[in-house]
């Protein structure tokens, strides 16, 4: 029994007749009939019931077709992934993330764990784009950001493991009316001009919903801004902005929110080729994140 014999069985089963299958395979009907009989003999029983209008699977035939389909798909996947690996050669490990996520932590952890493996890093604006690159094998490991009311759609072929849930902080300029406070209420920011997060992450939607829940609509003036530019705008215009931990922002005072409804989840994702490194990378990310921001988020151990 060889893989080509399974292809014969599947073709006959899909066609529903020996003659139609022979036509599709471009071989003589008599030759295909002889092949099917030899396959049936090797499996110990008939796979098809012959009828005037075609063939019908026997119980044994249904069992073989189900198993054969799985084996053929796995073999095809083996060919595709092997060719991809061969094309990559020694290109190393490909890392990714979304703008604003702690992608640099992932790069540092992987470099520590796999010091002799070349790395490349690719940053996208949205999580869906990163997940697609991981699904297709164009990225090996990546970090994506997810807000509670803007969930991502994780493809079945992509592995995932939570790293941390981060609480948003409010950034105000030095001299702001709330600059002397150790923490603030979200409702106290009504009437302020806002610098809002990148819309592709879902941050703007979650900010607006949280503000509306406490009685006001945020006056958003600056959109799709990365943390460095957001800090410049806070300093120069007096606006306020939401920031997540880990950024050095001179001239911006970060204030925890009382009863904070604003948070995001950082998730490590990977494709099958990188699965062997996941445990070490995940543990390294937990350690690195705790060292960088020990009190700003809830680490996720699994």
């Amino acid at each position: 029994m060889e893989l080509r014999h399974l292809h014969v069985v599947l073709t006959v089963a899909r066609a529903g007749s020996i003659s139609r299958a022979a036509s599709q395979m471009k071989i003589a009907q008599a030759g295909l009939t002889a092949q099917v009989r030899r396959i049936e003999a090797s499996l110990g029983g008939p796979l098809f019931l012959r009828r005037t209008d075609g063939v019908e699977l026997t119980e044994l035939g249904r069992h073989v077709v189900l198993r054969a389909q799985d084996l053929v798909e796995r073999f095809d996947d083996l060919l595709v992934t092997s060719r991809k690996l061969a094309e990559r050669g020694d290109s190393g490990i490909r890392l990714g993330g979304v703008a604003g996520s702690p992608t640099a932590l992932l790069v540092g952890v992987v470099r520590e764990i796999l010091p002799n493996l070349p790395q490349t890093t690719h940053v996208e604006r949205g999580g869906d784009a990163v997940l697609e690159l991981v699904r297709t094998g164009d990225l090996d490991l990546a970090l994506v950001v997810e807000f509670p009311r803007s969930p991502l759609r994780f493809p079945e072929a992509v592995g995932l493991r939570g790293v941390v849930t981060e609480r948003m902080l409010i950034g105000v300029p030095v001299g702001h009316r709330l600059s002397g406070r150790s923490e603030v209420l979200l409702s106290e920011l009504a009437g302020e001009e806002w610098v809002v997060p990148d819309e592709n992450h879902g941050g703007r939607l979650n900010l607006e919903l949280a503000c509306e829940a406490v009685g006001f609509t945020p006056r958003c003036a600056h959109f799709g801004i990365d943390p460095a530019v957001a800090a410049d705008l806070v300093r120069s215009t007096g606006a306020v902005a939401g920031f997540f931990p880990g950024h050095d922002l001179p001239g911006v005072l970060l204030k925890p929110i009382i009863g904070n409804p604003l948070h995001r989840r950082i998730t490590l994702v990977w494709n099958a080729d990188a699965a062997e490194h996941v445990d070490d990378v995940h543990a390294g990310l937990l350690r690195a994140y705790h060292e960088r921001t020990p009190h700003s988020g809830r680490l996720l151990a699994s």
Side-chain angles (χ1 to χ4, degrees), residues 3 6-7 9-10 43 47 57 59-75:
L3 188 66
L6 298 182
H7 279 287
V9 172
L10 290 173
L43 292 172
L47 303 179
L57 287 168
E59 183 178 355
L60 174 62
R62 287 192 293 272
H63 171 81
V64 170
V65 165
L66 284 173
R67 297 297 192 274
Q69 186 65 50
D70 182 60
L71 287 170
V72 168
E73 288 176 356
R74 287 175 181 270
F75 185 77

Side-chain angles (χ1 to χ4, degrees), residues 57-299:
L57 287 168
T58 63
E59 183 178 355
L60 174 62
R62 287 192 293 272
H63 171 81
V64 170
V65 165
L66 284 173
R67 297 297 192 274
Q69 186 65 50
D70 182 60
L71 287 170
V72 168
E73 288 176 356
R74 287 175 181 270
F75 185 77
D76 290 343
D77 180 69
L78 171 64
L79 291 177
V80 170
T81 55
S82 296
R83 285 169 183 154
K84 281 188 176 181
L85 285 173
E87 290 169 1
R88 283 173 54 186
D90 297 325
S91 62
I93 190 165
R94 297 156 303 172
L95 309 177
V98 293
S101 71
T103 307
L105 281 188
L106 175 63
V107 173
V109 166
V110 173
R111 182 162 295 170
E112 179 182 339
I113 293 170
L114 303 167
N116 298 319
L117 191 63
Q119 297 178 18
T120 57
T121 306
H122 185 85
V123 177
E124 285 281 345
R125 290 182 62 82
D128 289 332
V130 172
L131 290 171
E132 179 62 14
L133 290 173
V134 175
R135 185 192 70 80
T136 58
D138 294 305
L139 289 177
D140 298 306
L141 290 158
L143 292 176
V144 292
V145 171
E146 188 176 24
F147 285 88
R149 297 182 184 180
S150 306
L152 292 171
R153 298 180 297 276
F154 291 93
E156 290 185 8
V158 173
L160 64 147
R161 190 177 297 179
V163 177
V164 65
T165 296
E166 296 181 312
R167 295 182 291 272
M168 180 182 281
L169 303 168
I170 297 299
V172 301
V174 175
H176 187 274
R177 61 186 176 85
L178 298 174
S179 60
R181 297 275 298 278
S182 60
E183 54 184 6
V184 299
L185 288 166
L186 193 59
S187 59
E188 294 179 294
L189 299 167
E192 296 284 347
E193 182 177 286
W194 283 79
V195 181
V196 296
D198 193 324
E199 294 186 42
N200 287 321
H201 294 175
R204 180 184 176 185
L205 171 63
N206 281 265
L207 172 65
E208 290 178 342
L209 291 174
C211 291
E212 288 170 3
V214 296
F216 74 97
T217 298
R219 186 159 55 91
C220 301
H222 312 284
F223 303 95
I225 308 299
D226 67 40
V229 176
D232 284 339
L233 287 167
V234 169
R235 287 189 294 266
S236 62
T237 69
V240 300
F243 294 97
F244 286 97
H247 299 288
D248 184 19
L249 306 171
V252 176
L253 304 174
L254 298 178
K255 307 293 181 180
I257 305 170
I258 299 170
N260 196 344
L262 293 164
H263 58 275
R264 67 179 185 176
R265 182 184 176 98
I266 306 295
T267 300
L268 173 68
V269 294
W270 65 89
N271 64 37
D273 296 337
E276 63 182 300
H277 305 303
V278 167
D279 288 343
D280 289 339
V281 170
H282 184 257
L285 283 169
L286 295 182
R287 182 175 61 255
Y289 193 91
H290 180 72
E291 291 171 353
R292 188 185 72 167
T293 50
H295 306 297
S296 57
R298 179 169 61 89
L299 297 178

